Amino acid sequence: MPVFMFSIYFSSEEFALNESENSSHPGHRASVKMASTGVNTSTRRRVYVVGVGMTKFEKPGRRDDFDYPQMAKEAATKAMQDAGVSFEQIEQACVGYVYGDSTCGQRAVYELGLTGIPVFNVNNNCATGSTALIMAKQFIEGGLANCVLALGFEKMSRGSLKQTYHDRTNPMEKHVMVVANTFGVEKAPMAAQMFGNAGREHMEKYGTQPIHFAKIALKNHKHSTNNPYSQFQDEYTLEQIMNSPKIHDPLTKLQCCPTSDGSGAAILASEDFVRSHGLENQAIEIVAMEMATDLPSAFNDNSCIKAVGYDMTAKAADRAFKNAGLSRDDVNVVELHDCFSCNELITYEALGLCPPGKGPELIDSGNNTYGGKYVINPSGGLISKGHPLGATGLAQCAELCWQLRGMADKRQVSNVKVALQHNIGLGGAVVVALYKKGFQSRIQAFATSASTEDKFQSAAIFKEIKSNLDKDGASWVKKMKGVFCFKVKSNDGTEGVWVVDAKNGSGSVKFGVEPKGDVTIIMKDDDMLNLMLGKLNPQQAFFQGKLKIQGNMGLAMKLREFQSAAGKSKL
C-alpha cells in the first residue's frame, strides 16, 4: 500500500481555502454608473432567489378547480415551502397577469393571507412574469424590503390571442404597420404573422432554411418529455413537425406555443435575510437583470426582425452582461422566449450567443442542446411547456434556479455555473437576466439524495469509512482529529460532496451537506476509488492534476489511514 505523502514543498496559496468565489462579481460592488439610468450600482444591495414554485401548465379549461386564485395559491405556496418562509415574512408582492379585471393580484394574494402588505399589479404582455420579478428585485436592491413575493398567473381562453378592445388605439398598431409595409397582412393570427415574417426575413437575408426552425421545435419538444410541469410532453420527428398544419409560413402548428393556464412564483430576499435564515445553500443570486423597450429601429427600419424585439433584446443583454462582469462564454443554460420557433433562432443572435446570421450554424452544430455549448430551453420552452402569459417569466426563473441548484432531475444540465433568462412581450418589453449560485463555497452544486449518492463508484469507499466509524468512532477521532471534505466528480460532471468528520464525538460521514472541512480533497470518481484502494499513486496523481488539495496539508497526509481501511475491505 503506498504511503500517502508528498516529498515536495508547496506555497501556502496552493492549500489556502478558496474564498474568492464568495466575493462579488467584477464590477458588482464597484461604483459603476449605468448610462441608461444614471443609477450608481454601488448603492444596490445583492438580491437572491430563495424559493420557487409553479403549477403544471394546462390546456385552458381542462381543470375545473383551476381558477386564478387557486393556481396562484399553489405556485406561491410551493415557493414559500421551498424557501422555508411564511407569508407573514413577506413584505411586498408583485403580481403579474394580462387577462383579468383590476386587482386580481390582491384577490390571488388573499389566498395566502391577509397581512395588509402592498400588492402591485403588473401587465407587460408576454413579459409580465419577468416584469413582476424585476420589480420585486428593485424593491430589495433599493433597500425598500428584505423579502418579496413575485407571482404570475394566467387563465386564458382557447385558441390564438385576440384583440380585447375595439374602441381605442391598439398598442400594437405600430408593429402591425411594419408587417403591412413588408410582407403584407394576411388572415393568419397576427402574432404568428409577425414572428413568422421575422423568420422569412432571416431566410431572405441569411439563407436560413425552414428546417432550421423545425429543428428548434424538435429540440424543445424532446426536452419537454422530462418536464412534469409541461403542458405537452410528446416527442415528434422532424417530418411530423414540418408536416403539421401550416399556421403562417414557415411556421407549422408544432412550432407555435399553445395558450395555457398556470402560475409561477419566486421568493426574493436580501443578503441579510438569506444569512439570518440560513438560506445560503439554496440562494441563487440575480447578478444582473435588465429591461428594455422598443427603439426607433423597431418601426423605422421596415424590419420584422426588429419589430419583434431584436434590438431591445440586444440592448438589454449587453447591459446585463456588462453589469454582471460576465461573458456569453460563461453561460451554460438558457431559458428564452420561444413563443414561435422563428423567435428562438433570432434571439440566439440578439442575445449574442452567436453572430448575426449564424443561428442556423448554432442549430446544426448541436450547440443549443445537451452536449453542446449551451442547453437552451431544457424545460421544453414555451412551445411545449405552454405559455400562460403572466406566469411564463417566473416559470423560466424557476427552471434556471432548479438547474443551478442541481434539482432539475432528468433535465439537469451538467456543471451549471451561469444561467441566462430572456422574456419578451410585444408592445414592447423585454427582460434579460443572469443568475449564479449565491454562495459559491457553501452551496453544493447538485441535488442530494440517496439515489444521487449511489451513482458514484466511490460511494462504496465512504460507506466503508462510515462502517468503521460506527464500530470504533472514538479511536478514529482520537487518531485523525480532523474534518475531511471530499468533492467527487462523476463522468457527466455531477459533483458529489462527502464530509467525513473524524474530529467530533464518535465521528460521522455525511453526503450532500455544506462542503466545509479542515481539508478538501477534489478528484474524479474513478480516480478517487483507485486512490483509496491503493491502485493510484498519490504523488503521481497530484502531478498529473488528478488530485487537488485545499486546506491543511498535514491533515491530508492522514488520509492513508482511510486508504488502508478501505483497501482491506471487500467492496
Side-chain angles (χ1 to χ4, degrees):
M1 198 69 62
V3 178
F4 200 100
M5 296 188 68
F6 305 104
S7 57
I8 51 178
Y9 294 98
F10 301 96
S11 66
S12 59
E13 289 86 355
E14 181 68 44
F15 300 109
L17 284 172
N18 183 7
E19 294 294 334
S20 64
E21 291 180 329
N22 259 342
S23 63
S24 59
H25 306 287
H28 188 85
R29 292 185 183 270
S31 181
V32 179
K33 291 269 188 174
M34 292 177 59
S36 59
T37 62
V39 176
N40 190 325
T41 60
S42 66
T43 64
R44 295 183 173 190
R45 300 195 302 173
R46 300 171 77 167
V47 181
Y48 303 86
V49 183
V50 294
V52 291
M54 63 178 289
T55 69
K56 177 178 171 59
F57 287 178
E58 303 279 8
K59 183 177 180 180
R62 194 190 74 82
R63 281 176 55 179
D64 294 333
D65 61 339
F66 211 49
D67 200 0
Y68 73 89
Q70 287 74 47
M71 65 176 76
K73 180 181 180 180
E74 180 182 335
T77 300
K78 287 180 178 178
M80 290 189 295
Q81 290 174 343
D82 185 33
V85 303
S86 66
F87 184 66
E88 286 69 25
Q89 293 172 283
I90 294 171
E91 301 166 44
Q92 308 207 36
C94 301
V95 186
Y97 61 96
V98 176
Y99 296 105
D101 293 323
S102 297
T103 67
C104 283
Q106 279 87 339
R107 179 63 185 86
V109 169
Y110 291 165
E111 293 295 312
L112 307 173
L114 295 167
T115 58
I117 62 171
V119 177
F120 301 87
N121 291 278
V122 176
N123 180 347
N124 242 352
N125 230 344
C126 301
T128 292
S130 58
T131 301
L133 192 64
I134 194 172
M135 179 182 284
K137 174 179 178 286
Q138 290 175 342
F139 284 147
I140 292 173
E141 69 185 357
L144 301 178
N146 284 303
C147 183
V148 180
L149 167 67
L151 175 64
F153 55 79
E154 211 69 65
K155 184 175 176 64
M156 302 186 71
S157 300
R158 297 184 182 184
S160 59
L161 303 183
K162 298 179 176 63
Q163 183 177 345
T164 303
Y165 301 101
H166 300 275
D167 61 346
R168 64 204 68 184
T169 299
N170 190 317
M172 296 293 297
E173 66 175 7
K174 288 181 175 290
H175 303 78
V176 174
M177 284 301 300
V178 176
V179 174
N181 293 337
T182 52
F183 292 90
V185 177
E186 301 178 16
K187 290 184 179 181
M190 184 51 65
Q193 288 190 63
M194 297 183 70
F195 287 101
N197 288 348
R200 291 184 188 180
E201 182 179 324
H202 202 278
M203 293 168 67
E204 293 179 358
K205 189 173 183 179
Y206 299 111
T208 306
Q209 299 299 312
I211 194 171
H212 291 115
F213 303 122
K215 284 182 177 180
I216 287 173
L218 177 76
K219 167 184 68 73
N220 290 350
H221 283 295
K222 184 175 183 178
H223 287 178
S224 74
T225 61
N226 292 320
N227 187 0
Y229 292 102
S230 182
Q231 182 172 341
F232 298 113
Q233 293 178 262
D234 300 314
E235 188 172 354
Y236 298 94
T237 65
L238 198 59
E239 291 71 26
Q240 287 175 314
I241 291 169
M242 298 188 73
N243 293 329
S244 62
K246 185 78 70 176
I247 303 300
H248 179 77
D249 193 47
L251 293 169
T252 64
K253 183 178 180 179
L254 291 175
Q255 298 177 60
C256 306
C257 68
T259 51
S260 315
D261 288 350
S263 180
I267 307 296
L268 273 59
S270 66
E271 184 171 358
D272 288 343
F273 188 96
V274 171
R275 292 186 184 278
S276 64
H277 291 79
L279 295 171
E280 293 95 335
N281 281 356
Q282 66 192 73
I284 301 300
E285 185 176 4
I286 306 175
V287 292
M289 180 174 272
E290 295 293 331
M291 176 183 282
T293 56
D294 285 312
L295 301 167
S297 57
F299 312 120
N300 297 339
D301 291 4
N302 274 333
S303 166
C304 288
I305 290 176
K306 295 182 178 181
V308 297
Y310 184 99
D311 285 351
M312 65 175 175
T313 291
K315 181 174 183 177
D318 287 343
R319 287 205 313 239
F321 278 102
K322 179 180 179 181
N323 290 333
L326 297 169
S327 73
R328 273 71 172 178
D329 290 337
D330 293 317
V331 173
N332 310 110
V333 62
V334 183
E335 281 284 309
L336 63 77
H337 199 93
D338 62 316
C339 50
F340 300 91
S341 61
C342 294
N343 196 48
E344 177 163 329
L345 187 151
I346 291 164
T347 303
Y348 293 165
E349 300 171 13
L351 290 172
L353 303 181
C354 65
K358 300 299 183 181
E361 293 183 17
L362 184 69
I363 295 165
D364 290 338
S365 68
N367 279 320
N368 61 349
T369 187
Y370 294 87
K373 184 175 183 180
Y374 310 107
V375 179
I376 300 176
N377 286 329
S379 68
L382 283 61
I383 286 175
S384 284
K385 182 175 58 183
H387 185 25
L389 308 189
T392 288
L394 287 155
Q396 291 178 325
C397 173
E399 177 67 23
L400 295 179
C401 288
W402 287 326
Q403 290 285 349
L404 283 161
R405 287 162 60 182
M407 298 176 64
D409 197 29
K410 295 179 181 178
R411 305 186 309 283
Q412 186 63 55
V413 179
S414 298
N415 201 29
V416 178
K417 302 296 184 185
V418 178
L420 171 64
Q421 177 186 7
H422 165 268
N423 188 203
I424 197 167
L426 293 182
V430 64
V431 176
V432 175
L434 288 160
Y435 301 82
K436 288 187 72 173
K437 297 169 189 173
F439 297 82
Q440 294 280 11
S441 68
R442 297 188 179 185
I443 186 169
Q444 186 180 342
F446 293 88
T448 60
S449 66
S451 61
T452 305
E453 181 179 7
D454 290 339
K455 73 182 289 183
F456 294 88
Q457 299 177 65
S458 51
I461 293 289
F462 297 101
K463 289 179 181 178
E464 287 296 320
I465 294 174
K466 183 179 185 303
S467 177
N468 288 323
L469 289 174
D470 290 342
K471 293 175 183 176
D472 192 12
S475 64
W476 278 92
V477 169
K478 184 177 180 180
K479 179 168 51 177
M480 303 297 284
K481 298 179 181 179
V483 179
F484 300 79
C485 175
F486 296 85
K487 292 184 178 181
V488 182
K489 291 188 177 182
S490 66
N491 291 332
D492 64 2
T494 302
E495 182 177 85
V497 174
W498 282 266
V499 173
V500 178
D501 185 348
K503 185 177 184 179
N504 302 294
S506 297
S508 65
V509 177
K510 295 181 180 179
F511 174 76
V513 294
E514 182 178 346
K516 190 174 182 180
D518 299 318
V519 62
T520 299
I521 311 299
I522 305 171
M523 296 190 77
K524 289 185 178 179
D525 189 20
D526 51 356
D527 289 336
M528 176 66 76
L529 181 65
N530 289 331
L531 178 75
M532 298 302 283
L533 291 177
K535 297 179 180 180
L536 178 64
N537 182 283
Q539 291 174 300
Q540 186 179 11
F542 184 87
F543 285 118
Q544 291 176 346
K546 295 181 179 180
L547 168 64
K548 296 181 181 179
I549 302 175
Q550 297 172 343
N552 189 324
M553 180 59 182
L555 193 58
M557 292 191 293
K558 291 187 178 182
L559 284 173
R560 65 180 181 271
E561 300 293 341
F562 287 140
Q563 183 188 41
S564 299
K568 295 174 182 176
S569 302
K570 295 181 180 180
L571 299 176

